[in-house]
Amino acid sequence: PVINYDILPGIRLPPNRTAPRRRRASLYQDEQQDLREVHGMVKELNSRRDEAIVLYTLLTVELSVALRDGDENKKEHITHNVIPLLLVYMEDIDARLVVCAEAELDITALRPEDRPMLTYRRHQYRTIASMDDEDARDWTRLSKSQLEDLLTHLRLRDQTFTVGRQGHTSRVTGEEMLLISLTRFCTGDSWKDMVRLRFGGGITRCHEMFDVFIYFTFTTFFHKISGNSMIQWIPCIDYCRRKMYDKAITNSARCPITAWRRETDQLDRLVNIEERDLPFDLWMAYGSIDCTDWQTCRIGAGPVGPWEGASRRVDAYQLQRAFYSGYFRAHGLKYQTVLLPSGMWGSVWGASMAHNDNGILNQSGLVPYLEDILTTNEDGYYPTLIGDAIYPQDRTVLWTTKVPRGASDNFYSFKRACSTVRQPHEIHYGSFFNYFHLFKNETQTRLFNNCEKAYRTGVVGFFLHNCFTCIKGSGVNSFFDSRHPTLQQYLPLDEVIPPYVPFALNAHYRYR
């Protein structure tokens, strides 16, 4: 028998979700009708499934009789024709029941003001094998073989996770969770388009899988992208210094020997210093530092209810000011990143977009952290990060664009060389936003109820960008003629993952 499964009710977008138990008690009349239709379909599907089970039992009896009587024709017909078709039919009924359960969850979890008409579809493309290579590259920017490697090194292979809340839970595999989450990152599509055009099922369940993926990746690999992540790159600092030195000398072969001295009074005497070649021992720069913004929806905007004349949220103006940047004229988050010539983000830390780059540096505590883990050379100088003009002159951070009054042409040449080796930072930002369109679609991120998750999403995005660099390389590697680590070197399978220690909200962040 054929059932018209396209009559399932419409579903709503993920914003303004509430607990299913509370929503069920206050459904509108049309929502109650939709819920009755779903329940009727579930009842019909269960009835047909019971009939299929009875039929399967009768077929096993007929098969045993055929085996007893030696009827080979009947045995072959039941074994190769009837039973396989019946199993496919039962699998189809089970899949439809899952879709109905997700439809009921959407009706009871999402408010009616965000309810576009949308027919439910069966689950599809939930495994790497079910996708063709073209779709894999279009949706996730990776081939099927690369997805298999990433699945293994992210510790998601052969794992199942429980998603959902308040009794509406289900078990999902790490593979489908990776595919849905990576597609969300790379395409930036709304959940409505994700389930309608790609994966089928319900919006709420896909959204919950994305939440679990963010939590799992952030807590498991936090030490690879933030916190104490710079400690893993200390053995590579001399290699990074060499690559930056070679590129800088290529653009400016002759530089003042004291250009990397930390004493501010020496900068005014550069015009009197004799020009000479810059030795590698005095070149201490091993990476660059900069900040980028992630624009989101205006926090706390709109009324508190769907009715006409509803009041605004309490302290809405103060909330919006806390995340507003007058420079960008937008609301959102800002992330401070350290980039190495190997094309890897060494460290990521974020805060509100309302702060400038220097304020982010002071809040993060990056300078004292680097002083703790780095060692000085014979002259007492630390390895240095190159930043733009807003950063202070510090022992571990150096600006490159300010030129003292009356400086020589040789110092201008040195400044251009330092600016050249900082350019890949902006190039790598472009690669990050081109890979992950989610960070270019400000309508898909809301901070009022999900600020912590939004912050973690940004950190996980930079971590995934590191994974992409390990798999495919980057423009930074071409710029510096450097090699990038492999996925096995960055995420070794035999590594003992340290436990994630949550950071207290009002504590002093110390990169630990």
Side-chain angles (χ1 to χ4, degrees), residues 253-319:
R254 303 182 66 81
C255 300
I257 192 171
T258 56
W260 287 101
R261 300 300 186 186
R262 298 301 183 272
E263 291 79 11
T264 307
D265 59 342
Q266 288 189 358
L267 294 176
D268 296 329
R269 301 200 300 270
L270 284 173
V271 292
N272 301 320
I273 296 177
E274 181 181 0
E275 179 181 333
R276 54 181 295 185
D277 292 337
L278 176 67
F280 173 71
D281 293 340
L282 293 180
W283 181 274
M284 301 302 293
Y286 67 96
S288 57
I289 182 173
D290 203 354
C291 291
T292 188
D293 64 288
W294 177 19
Q295 298 182 12
T296 64
C297 288
R298 185 174 56 192
I299 184 171
V304 296
W307 57 88
E308 185 177 355
S311 60
R312 292 176 60 85
R313 290 184 172 89
V314 178
D315 298 330
Y317 178 69
Q318 287 76 9
L319 288 171

Side-chain angles (χ1 to χ4, degrees), residues 62-336:
E62 289 289 336
L63 182 60
S64 62
V65 172
L67 290 173
R68 185 193 64 188
D69 298 341
D71 191 345
E72 294 296 332
N73 293 331
K74 188 175 183 180
K75 170 189 171 184
E76 184 177 355
H77 176 68
I78 294 176
T79 306
H80 295 89
N81 296 329
V82 181
I83 290 182
L85 290 176
L86 184 61
L87 293 177
V88 170
Y89 177 69
M90 295 175 66
E91 290 178 0
D92 179 76
I93 291 178
D94 291 337
R96 302 294 181 180
L97 287 171
V98 171
V99 172
C100 289
E102 294 187 5
E104 180 183 358
L105 178 60
D106 283 338
I107 293 173
T108 57
L110 307 179
R111 293 181 180 177
E113 59 266 21
D114 300 308
R115 188 183 183 188
M117 292 305 299
L118 177 66
T119 56
Y120 280 78
R121 300 172 61 186
R122 288 185 55 186
H123 291 179
Q124 58 184 359
Y125 304 120
R126 300 290 181 109
T127 61
I128 298 175
S130 64
M131 306 174 67
D132 56 40
D133 207 58
E134 182 179 356
D135 285 340
R137 291 184 181 275
D138 185 34
W139 297 357
T140 67
R141 310 295 189 259
L142 299 175
S143 66
K144 294 175 66 173
S145 60
Q146 292 169 344
L147 283 172
E148 294 282 0
D149 292 340
L150 185 60
L151 178 69
T152 301
H153 287 278
L154 289 183
R155 278 72 170 175
L156 293 175
R157 186 177 297 278
D158 301 328
Q159 283 214 49
T160 57
F161 298 84
T162 301
V163 299
R165 54 181 179 176
Q166 297 191 9
H168 296 77
T169 61
S170 65
R171 300 288 291 178
V172 299
T173 64
E175 186 175 6
E176 65 176 314
M177 194 169 69
L178 173 66
L179 290 177
I180 290 176
S181 302
L182 204 56
T183 302
R184 169 73 169 172
F185 269 107
C186 294
T187 63
D189 289 342
S190 64
W191 289 113
K192 179 186 72 172
D193 292 336
M194 290 273 290
V195 301
R196 179 171 60 90
L197 302 176
R198 294 185 173 90
F199 298 103
I203 286 178
T204 304
R205 190 63 76 208
C206 290
H207 195 281
E208 290 167 346
M209 280 191 275
F210 183 75
D211 291 348
V212 173
F213 176 80
I214 293 299
Y215 176 82
F216 172 80
T217 309
F218 182 85
T219 56
T220 305
F221 301 105
F222 181 77
H223 66 291
K224 292 292 184 179
I225 192 64
S226 191
N228 199 23
S229 60
M230 284 298 294
I231 199 73
Q232 64 185 318
W233 305 113
I234 288 182
C236 308
I237 283 184
D238 288 340
Y239 173 80
C240 295
R241 286 175 54 215
R242 171 59 66 178
K243 289 301 178 181
M244 296 191 74
Y245 173 80
D246 292 343
K247 190 64 178 180
I249 296 305
T250 301
N251 288 274
S252 178
R254 303 182 66 81
C255 300
I257 192 171
T258 56
W260 287 101
R261 300 300 186 186
R262 298 301 183 272
E263 291 79 11
T264 307
D265 59 342
Q266 288 189 358
L267 294 176
D268 296 329
R269 301 200 300 270
L270 284 173
V271 292
N272 301 320
I273 296 177
E274 181 181 0
E275 179 181 333
R276 54 181 295 185
D277 292 337
L278 176 67
F280 173 71
D281 293 340
L282 293 180
W283 181 274
M284 301 302 293
Y286 67 96
S288 57
I289 182 173
D290 203 354
C291 291
T292 188
D293 64 288
W294 177 19
Q295 298 182 12
T296 64
C297 288
R298 185 174 56 192
I299 184 171
V304 296
W307 57 88
E308 185 177 355
S311 60
R312 292 176 60 85
R313 290 184 172 89
V314 178
D315 298 330
Y317 178 69
Q318 287 76 9
L319 288 171
Q320 292 171 19
R321 285 195 62 184
F323 289 88
Y324 179 75
S325 170
Y327 181 81
F328 295 105
R329 297 184 179 181
H331 300 79
L333 302 173
K334 177 177 284 191
Y335 290 91
Q336 173 185 274

Side-chain angles (χ1 to χ4, degrees), residues 224-227 229-230 232-233 237 240 244 286-292 335-349 361 364 366-367 369-370 373-374 383-387 391 396-397 424-425 428-429 462 465-466 476 490 511:
K224 292 292 184 179
I225 192 64
S226 191
S229 60
M230 284 298 294
Q232 64 185 318
W233 305 113
I237 283 184
C240 295
M244 296 191 74
Y286 67 96
S288 57
I289 182 173
D290 203 354
C291 291
T292 188
Y335 290 91
Q336 173 185 274
T337 57
V338 174
L339 178 65
L340 305 175
S342 59
M344 304 294 287
W345 300 113
S347 177
V348 175
W349 192 87
L361 177 65
S364 68
L366 178 63
V367 171
Y369 165 69
L370 293 177
I373 65 173
L374 298 176
T384 309
L385 296 173
I386 297 179
Y391 288 103
T396 56
V397 176
H425 209 123
H428 214 42
Y429 278 148
F462 283 103
H465 196 208
N466 273 355
V476 178
Y490 184 50
Y511 275 83

